[in-house]
Amino acid sequence: MSQHPHTFSRYCMHCGQRLTTAIPEGDSKRRMVCLDCGFIHYINPRPVAGAIPVREDGAILLVRRAIEPRMGTWVFPGGYMDVGETAEEAAARETREEALLDVQDLSLVGVYTRTEAGVVVIVYEGRALGEAAAGEECLEVAWFAPGAIPWEELAFDSTEWALREWVARRG
Ligand SMILES: [Zn+2]
């Protein structure tokens, strides 16, 4: 899962003037506004879609991150959605890119907000089809039985939240 911090432009994307902060009329929060053209630069969280691939024997696939942040830690495949695809399609695409694996029959595990990162992570589980191998941004892939998930080496809070819910739901 690629993650980059929220970046704030200090200049108006429309007219190039320097932005300032103010509470717009009818609003309740301080925003970045352009006093020159009046444009309000809302800063919204970005959706990330991920999939927990589940094998027939109940093991799940995790990938080990080859990139910062959290290089070397384990996470299920996921990443930023592209415009024009559904969250399910994004989760399946990221699984193909990162683990060279197809997943089917996706069902929602949960939605997790990482407020500090400015992302909303939408996590599915899906039936894994075939074998996996390390793809983009991954050092290796491995299958873990539910009792052998490497809780101390997971990448993000949202990784742990989703996996704990998945394990609990599985019973
Ligand atoms: Zn402007």
Side-chain angles (χ1 to χ4, degrees), residues 101-139:
L101 179 71
D102 283 319
V103 284
Q104 269 190 351
D105 306 329
L106 296 186
S107 74
L108 187 67
V109 173
V111 177
Y112 309 93
T113 306
R114 292 178 58 220
T115 51
E116 80 293 350
V119 297
V120 176
V121 187
I122 306 161
V123 181
Y124 299 92
E125 65 173 298
R127 192 158 57 85
L129 301 175
E131 269 310 308
E136 297 174 17
E137 303 176 356
C138 297
L139 296 171

Side-chain angles (χ1 to χ4, degrees), residues 12-168:
C12 180
M13 62 189 285
H14 285 280
C15 73
Q17 290 299 308
R18 203 175 169 86
L19 295 171
T20 187
T21 65
I23 300 176
E25 196 180 327
D27 204 337
S28 58
K29 286 185 174 175
R30 194 160 277 279
R31 311 281 184 187
M32 302 286 280
V33 298
C34 176
L35 296 181
D36 216 62
C37 75
F39 190 75
I40 305 168
H41 293 244
Y42 292 102
I43 299 166
N44 304 113
R46 286 181 292 179
V48 165
I52 302 171
V54 185
R55 205 165 62 177
E56 224 164 62
D57 66 358
I60 62 167
L61 183 103
L62 298 178
V63 303
R64 207 149 74 79
R65 292 172 60 80
I67 55 167
E68 295 292 355
R70 306 288 293 151
M71 187 164 74
T73 57
W74 293 94
V75 67
F76 45 80
Y80 291 108
M81 289 176 60
D82 290 328
V83 168
E85 66 185 357
T86 65
E88 290 90 340
E89 287 166 350
R93 173 181 53 75
E94 291 286 344
T95 305
R96 276 193 301 277
E97 290 174 2
E98 296 182 3
L100 309 182
L101 179 71
D102 283 319
V103 284
Q104 269 190 351
D105 306 329
L106 296 186
S107 74
L108 187 67
V109 173
V111 177
Y112 309 93
T113 306
R114 292 178 58 220
T115 51
E116 80 293 350
V119 297
V120 176
V121 187
I122 306 161
V123 181
Y124 299 92
E125 65 173 298
R127 192 158 57 85
L129 301 175
E131 269 310 308
E136 297 174 17
E137 303 176 356
C138 297
L139 296 171
E140 60 176 315
V141 299
W143 296 93
F144 294 91
I149 292 169
W151 297 108
E152 303 306 315
E153 300 169 61
L154 297 179
F156 306 106
D157 285 350
S158 52
T159 312
E160 177 171 351
W161 298 333
L163 289 175
R164 291 218 184 272
E165 284 203 16
W166 180 81
V167 168

